[in-house]
Amino acid sequence: MMHAISKKVSDRWFLFFVLPAVLVLLAVTIYPFVFSLTLSFRSFSTRTLQIGGFVGLANYADLLADISTYRAIARTMVFTGISVLGSTLIALALSLFLYKPFPGHRVFRSLYIVPMVITPVTVGLTWRVLYNPVYGFINAVLRSIGLQGPSWLSDTSIALFSTILVDIWQWTPFLFLICLAGLDSLPLAPLEAASVDGATGFQVTRHVIIPLLFPTLRIAVLIRTIDAVRTFDIIHILTRGGPGTATETLTLLGYLRGFQFFHLEEGATISIVLLIIVIPLAQLYIRFSSKKESRA
Amino acid sequence: MTRKSFRNYLRLTIALIVLVVFLFPFLWMINISLKPQTSVFDLSGVLSLNFSLSAYVDVFTTTELMSTFINSIVVAISTTLLALALSAPAAYAFARSSKGYAKNISFWILTLRMAPPIGVVIPFYLFARSLHLLDTHFVLIVLYLSFNLPFSIWMLTGFFKGVPAEIEEAAFIDGCSRWGVFMRICVPCVTPGLVACGVIALIFSWNEFLFAMILTDITARTLPVTIASFLLYYGTQWGRLCAAGTVVAVPIVVIALAFQKRIVHGFSMGALK
């Protein structure tokens, strides 16, 4: 009876409430992407900034014929893979140690968000200062114990890993806090049942806690992965894609081609490639989230 | 010492070590910014207790940091308010709608946030250029909606769903219009949600770099872009760099710490319930 009243209310209000937001979204998200898509099929004049005629898949062919593309994709995968894996393992391990209350734990949890909210540009700045081979803190500490610190950001063989380390530093708290919250909300019954059945702490952890935590963890890891693929700020500030092309991931390549060489059509093509990579991940996200809703 | 309290102290120790690791770079930067500028290059100088505000005086009087600070504030607050104003009605509609597709739309809207920024910024660069809107606050405020709107709609939908239908029914029976119910009953109910949402949008907007770098030049430049250009021009003047970095980061960290509980939930985008 109660719900029948609201259903009889005209559905026109729905449109009025929703239309402004949807129109803006269409204008600032969907339309630009459609535009980028069409731009990726056309030529572009860097000199006059005019969009030229239809060239079919020529831009994509050029991109796929270029070895830099594959290197960039490989770097993106290495960056994303190691960063997400590293953060997840560290976050999981830490959260399993620290989720039971101890004196002051609330304060700690508040402070742990700092790395993920600091402006990424500032994160890059700070780590550039730390990584400085001569004056930076890290190498100074290494020197004091007799080790020669490397050129973290100028050595082509380790520059990518230096950036990965910064990304891990920045985002482990995110996964860590989510794990903590997830562990907090675990139902007690299965844990108690397992203890009663004689399971050791370690067994309880492996066979009860982690499976229960899994749904929460996988969405968080998925979100982190999608964000890691699109990382730009810290890499740009730390190395600008260098030394050479050592840290040139796909987003960096897109920026380089699009806004430093001003081949906007190449930038558009790369952005579509990035979209193609992200879409399956987003679909996974939708699938995981709605499964979770139905479970709840 | 009992076994339990030993474990607690162990946890405390580990938690402290973790905290130091997470906070150290940030505090290190602040530390460098508070030292006399000539002594920042050797470790003993940095670790000494000589405090000085010279870096801040220098960076505020000789660079454009102040005006970009104001730009950041203007852009971040405007886009946040705009995002909330647009997304609240939409979120309410999605929450109250009996149609099944409303839930799917909600998810679709969220996935828009996952789009690669390069794809959005190239067209916008061309549009803004042809409309002579480059380097204006307006263009940033509007463009930031591309990530703030999806996120706010999704987050506020959850909050509006939590408002009991009975309260609304009572108001309808009393002759209230749909908009009246929305404005006078539901919105006040979800104020904590609006605040949480606003804070997260504020953080995203304040920290944003790529769009700002490409679409602004001198007039509307925001803080992150200024930091990047400082790195280019003043690369070795650490005192100045760290002072600027601190100015950018500290306000947002303070705000985040004030609202921290909501933030993790918001950032988690559905991982936490």
Side-chain angles (χ1 to χ4, degrees), chain A residues 197-217:
Chain A
D197 283 347
T200 66
F202 187 64
Q203 284 174 329
V204 171
T205 307
R206 244 192 77 197
H207 298 287
V208 181
I209 293 183
I210 292 187
L212 283 176
L213 191 57
F214 187 67
T216 304
L217 191 57

Side-chain angles (χ1 to χ4, degrees), chain A residues 57-262:
Chain A
L57 291 173
N59 289 330
Y60 290 92
D62 287 341
L63 203 63
L64 292 175
D66 188 352
I67 186 95
S68 316
T69 310
Y70 297 103
R71 293 205 179 115
I73 292 179
R75 288 183 204 108
T76 308
M77 283 172 44
V78 167
F79 181 89
T80 304
I82 299 184
S83 176
V84 174
L85 193 62
S87 312
T88 307
L89 290 176
I90 298 176
L92 193 56
L94 284 178
S95 61
L96 287 170
F97 273 131
L98 295 176
Y99 76 97
K100 295 199 178 129
F102 57 88
H105 74 279
R106 276 190 231 281
V107 173
F108 282 100
R109 289 199 191 186
S110 324
L111 292 174
Y112 286 149
I113 63 166
V114 169
M116 61 191 228
V117 296
I118 301 183
T119 316
V121 170
T122 305
V123 171
L125 167 67
T126 310
W127 280 88
R128 255 179 86 150
V129 169
L130 288 174
Y131 272 146
N132 188 294
V134 180
Y135 303 119
F137 180 78
I138 297 180
N139 280 4
V141 166
L142 289 174
R143 263 191 302 254
S144 69
I145 59 173
L147 292 173
Q148 163 88 16
S151 278
W152 297 95
L153 298 174
S154 318
D155 185 339
T156 47
S157 45
I158 60 172
L160 189 61
F161 295 105
S162 306
T163 60
I164 293 175
L165 192 65
V166 176
D167 200 55
I168 291 180
W169 174 85
Q170 194 182 5
W171 291 105
T172 300
F174 169 65
L175 292 171
F176 175 43
L177 287 169
I178 289 185
C179 283
L180 281 180
L183 287 169
D184 277 347
S185 61
L186 285 184
L188 287 174
L191 301 176
E192 288 169 353
S195 294
V196 162
D197 283 347
T200 66
F202 187 64
Q203 284 174 329
V204 171
T205 307
R206 244 192 77 197
H207 298 287
V208 181
I209 293 183
I210 292 187
L212 283 176
L213 191 57
F214 187 67
T216 304
L217 191 57
R218 69 178 176 179
I219 295 186
V221 168
L222 193 57
I223 293 172
R224 182 71 278 272
T225 307
I226 296 176
D227 281 346
V229 169
R230 305 173 310 143
T231 306
F232 177 77
D233 300 8
I234 56 172
I235 303 181
H236 185 258
I237 296 291
L238 284 171
T239 60
R240 298 197 116 213
T245 55
T247 57
E248 197 176 80
T249 57
L250 212 49
T251 7
L252 267 283
L253 186 70
Y255 169 72
L256 183 76
R257 294 281 167 83
F259 287 100
Q260 295 207 315
F261 298 165
F262 249 92

Side-chain angles (χ1 to χ4, degrees), chain A residues 2-3 5-7 9 11 13-14 17-18 20-22 24-25 27-33 35-36 39 44 48-49 51 94 97-104 106 108-122 125-130 132 134-137 140-141 168-169 171-174 176-178 181-182 215-216 219-220 223 226-227 230 232-233 236-237 240 251 254-255 258-259 262 264 267-268 271 274-275 278 282 285-286 289-290 292-293 296, chain B residues 8-12 14-16 18-19 21-26 28-29 32 40-43 47 86-87 89-90 92-94 96-99 101-103 107-127 129 142-143 145-146 149-150 153-154 161 165-166 169 172-173 178-179 182 203 206-210 213-214 224-225 227-228 231-232 238 241-242 244-246 248-249 252-253 256-257 260 263-264 267-273:
Chain A
M2 284 293 210
H3 285 289
I5 297 180
S6 46
K7 271 185 188 168
V9 174
D11 278 338
W13 72 266
F14 183 85
F17 274 54
V18 164
V22 169
V24 173
L25 268 180
V28 298
T29 316
I30 308 276
Y31 184 48
F33 258 98
F35 190 96
S36 279
L39 180 55
F44 178 78
T48 64
L49 292 189
I51 300 181
L94 284 178
F97 273 131
L98 295 176
Y99 76 97
K100 295 199 178 129
F102 57 88
R106 276 190 231 281
F108 282 100
R109 289 199 191 186
S110 324
L111 292 174
Y112 286 149
I113 63 166
V114 169
M116 61 191 228
V117 296
I118 301 183
T119 316
V121 170
T122 305
L125 167 67
T126 310
W127 280 88
R128 255 179 86 150
V129 169
L130 288 174
N132 188 294
V134 180
Y135 303 119
F137 180 78
V141 166
I168 291 180
W169 174 85
W171 291 105
T172 300
F174 169 65
F176 175 43
L177 287 169
I178 289 185
T216 304
I219 295 186
I223 293 172
I226 296 176
D227 281 346
R230 305 173 310 143
F232 177 77
D233 300 8
H236 185 258
I237 296 291
R240 298 197 116 213
T251 7
Y255 169 72
F259 287 100
F262 249 92
L264 290 185
S271 75
L274 269 169
L275 190 63
V278 169
Y285 167 77
I286 293 182
S289 309
S290 40
K292 222 176 160 270
E293 294 231 335
Chain B
N8 272 351
Y9 279 115
L10 190 62
R11 291 202 179 97
L12 187 60
I14 296 180
L16 261 168
V18 170
L19 188 68
V21 171
F22 284 155
L23 287 187
F24 176 73
F26 182 55
W28 186 248
M29 175 186 69
I32 292 185
V40 294
F41 288 107
D42 72 90
L43 208 53
L47 291 176
L86 286 172
S87 56
Y92 172 73
F94 286 139
R96 284 288 170 259
S97 166
S98 51
K99 300 195 174 90
Y101 65 63
K103 185 170 135 189
F107 273 125
W108 254 107
I109 285 183
L110 188 58
T111 58
L112 288 177
R113 189 194 159 271
M114 302 178 179
I118 306 254
V120 174
V121 79
I122 289 180
F124 251 84
Y125 176 77
L126 289 171
F127 296 156
R129 201 170 157 277
V142 168
L143 194 52
L145 291 175
S146 71
L149 256 189
I153 294 180
W154 168 79
K161 274 195 180 145
E166 292 77 37
E169 306 294 358
F172 279 127
I173 294 176
R178 179 64 74 167
W179 181 256
F182 170 68
I203 294 179
W206 181 271
N207 289 348
E208 202 285 327
F209 176 58
L210 181 67
M213 176 171 63
I214 289 176
V225 185
I227 302 281
L231 271 168
L232 226 48
W238 282 9
L241 284 176
C242 289
T246 308
V248 175
I252 212 70
V253 167
L257 285 177
Q260 55 90 216
I263 286 180
V264 181
F267 269 59
S268 78
M269 295 216 305
L272 293 175
K273 279 286 165 199

